[in-house]
Amino acid sequence: MEVISHFIDGKKFTKSDSRKSKVFNPATGEQIAEVELGSKEVIDLAVESSAKAFLKWSKTTPITRARIFTKYKELLVKNMDELAELVSKQHGKTIPDAKGSIQRGIEVVEYVTGITSSLKGEHSSNVGTNVDSHTLRQPLGVCAGITPFNFPAMVPMWMYPVALACGNTFILKPSEKDPSCPVRLAELALEAGFPAGVLNLVNGDKEAVDALLEHKNVQAISFVGSTPIAEYVYHNGTKNNKRVQALGGAKNHMVIMPDADVDKTTDAIIGSAFGSAGERCMAISVAVCVGKNTNEKIKNNLLEKTSKLNVGPYTDEKSDFGPLSSKPHYEKVLGYIDSGEKEGAKLLSDGRNFKKQGYENGYFVGPTIFDDVKPEMKIYKEEIFGPVLSMMTTNTYEEALNLVNEHELGNGAAVFTKSGNIAKHFTENAKIGMIGVNVPIPVPVAYHSFGGWKRSLFGDHSIHGPDGVRFYTKLKTATVTWVEDNAGPEFTIPVLS
Ligand code: NAD
């Protein structure tokens, strides 16, 4: 059986006596590999390697770093098929879905090929007589990233390209559920020309995360995962004086106005609620219809289209979405459907007994739709992270907006309408980090920043784009004058009184 190891200091690193965890193909339920779980000792080695690499890497010019990223981008594109296969085999998503997500990661790499512009400082002449001021953005040192199972390529690429381009070195701790693609990304980085130690990877679980949170030479932590762990990482990281950005879970609403185009809206719901089996932090999981008529029209159209969806393994090109990623998660999602039924929501489409011939042990759940969901129900309050849509109906737009704003999570939300006024009002008043107007999954592109509000993000910075550069750099301001020898006091600066 394949054993997936770490990647430290430019080579695979194995510690044969380490704890291991099983890696599965979720479409078949078969174990396909095991992954080593890094201990504190392994983290110490990785930090030592990253700290050593930082001494030289931080002194390279931004254009040198950008050129290596250009080469890296070419390698990622060239190896796209292999990378997508690694993602799909261990996560379960379809190949087009896997490729789409890798492409979004590559766009961050493309963004940082222009890092020279982002690292330019500001300059003010004559802040005093013969005195100028300018700012510098300098790297932090060794940074670390902890990533979730649902995007094993894209989410790591939200982090390390920006960190490295800013002159930091980086340790990636990917999800232990689907670690092979991240390891390959690290190998390709070495091939592209990043020196050994600039990008290290340690596989693992809580033990490795805790070791990173406690290590005195780790300066910053980026985390993406569930809200309870995001909160834990934020508090423990900041307690140890690290800069932390911790992105958590989501419950994304789509508000559907009576004037929304029924066909386009239901197509958008199908893609965003069931695509990737609902395992997206930007998935729409709540459809709020304004008015009973809207609910009727959307519901009927949705049920008709949902019945035509193909659920199956990534190896079948006809599959619209695949299985859930692991058995415990599969059981958790089934538990939520049971709970919704018990709490009195109307189950319009039940994905619990879905079986795929030849894949009876796979973790498949069919598209599931509840109507008449109420705010106090568990299926509304909590993130399900599966192909389960909750439908609700309100009498007015204000009530719908209120639902969005009262929810404790605030990653994304969309409004579907033909009214510019409603769209503007929603964009300005929804307490949410990423808004879609007639766009169901409003994931910001690489040169904007990604991040939620409320309990969907702990910390002050969103990820990638300009906020990513701010997160991975420290601001310095220099005030400068040049005085000729014996020229006397020829400069003045404003004095605080
Ligand atoms: P998770 O929180 O279980 O795990 C995320 C990472 O934390 C993994 O690397 C894991 O090894 C580590 N981890 C798990 N338990 C830990 C513990 N007790 N202590 C320390 N570290 C621990 O999340 P997941 O199940 O892998 O991913 C799904 C979640 O991620 C969903 O909630 C989803 O919404 C969220 N997510 C959020 C975003 C976003 O941008 N906001 C993006 C993708 C996924």
Side-chain angles (χ1 to χ4, degrees), residues 147-150 173 176 206 223-226 229 248-249 281 383 450:
T147 54
F149 74 79
N150 66 323
K173 203 303 284 169
E176 64 278 33
K206 180 174 168 49
F223 173 90
V224 175
S226 60
I229 312 296
C281 65
E383 180 184 44
F450 182 111

Side-chain angles (χ1 to χ4, degrees), residues 254-276:
M254 179 192 285
V255 172
I256 305 159
M257 296 302 292
D259 64 355
D261 181 287
V262 173
D263 248 340
K264 284 189 185 139
T265 307
T266 48
D267 285 347
I269 296 175
I270 300 250
S272 58
F274 305 128
S276 208

Side-chain angles (χ1 to χ4, degrees), residues 366-384:
T368 301
I369 303 174
F370 280 110
D371 197 12
D372 283 344
V373 174
K374 303 287 176 241
E376 58 280 5
M377 292 179 182
K378 191 171 156 188
I379 53 165
Y380 177 72
K381 288 196 284 199
E382 297 180 15
E383 180 184 44
I384 299 175

Side-chain angles (χ1 to χ4, degrees), residues 226-371:
S226 60
T227 289
I229 312 296
E231 193 168 21
Y232 170 83
V233 165
Y234 179 74
H235 288 304
N236 283 283
T238 51
K239 190 179 80 189
N240 290 321
N241 298 321
K242 298 181 195 321
R243 191 177 279 198
V244 182
Q245 55 179 180
L247 283 70
K251 195 78 183 177
N252 305 315
H253 296 60
M254 179 192 285
V255 172
I256 305 159
M257 296 302 292
D259 64 355
D261 181 287
V262 173
D263 248 340
K264 284 189 185 139
T265 307
T266 48
D267 285 347
I269 296 175
I270 300 250
S272 58
F274 305 128
S276 208
E279 289 177 327
R280 291 185 185 132
C281 65
M282 289 296 276
I284 290 293
S285 48
V286 186
V288 188
C289 301
V290 177
K292 280 199 182 119
N293 267 346
T294 313
N295 174 280
E296 281 301 316
K297 283 189 282 184
I298 295 289
K299 193 164 64 188
N300 295 336
N301 197 294
L302 197 56
L303 283 172
E304 191 197 320
K305 287 179 179 163
T306 304
S307 65
K308 295 184 187 134
L309 285 175
N310 281 315
V311 185
Y314 78 93
T315 41
D316 180 350
E317 280 179 13
K318 287 195 229 71
S319 299
D320 292 306
F321 69 86
L324 290 164
S325 62
S326 68
K327 192 154 194 216
H329 187 52
Y330 166 77
E331 283 163 358
K332 191 171 158 196
V333 171
L334 294 185
Y336 274 115
I337 304 176
D338 293 346
S339 131
E341 207 177 24
K342 274 195 207 111
E343 286 189 296
K346 206 188 280 172
L347 191 51
L348 302 179
S349 164
D350 184 354
R352 280 176 297 193
N353 294 318
F354 180 88
K355 284 279 173 245
K356 182 83 187 165
Q357 208 185 354
Y359 294 86
E360 286 76 8
N361 294 325
Y363 315 136
F364 294 97
V365 174
T368 301
I369 303 174
F370 280 110
D371 197 12

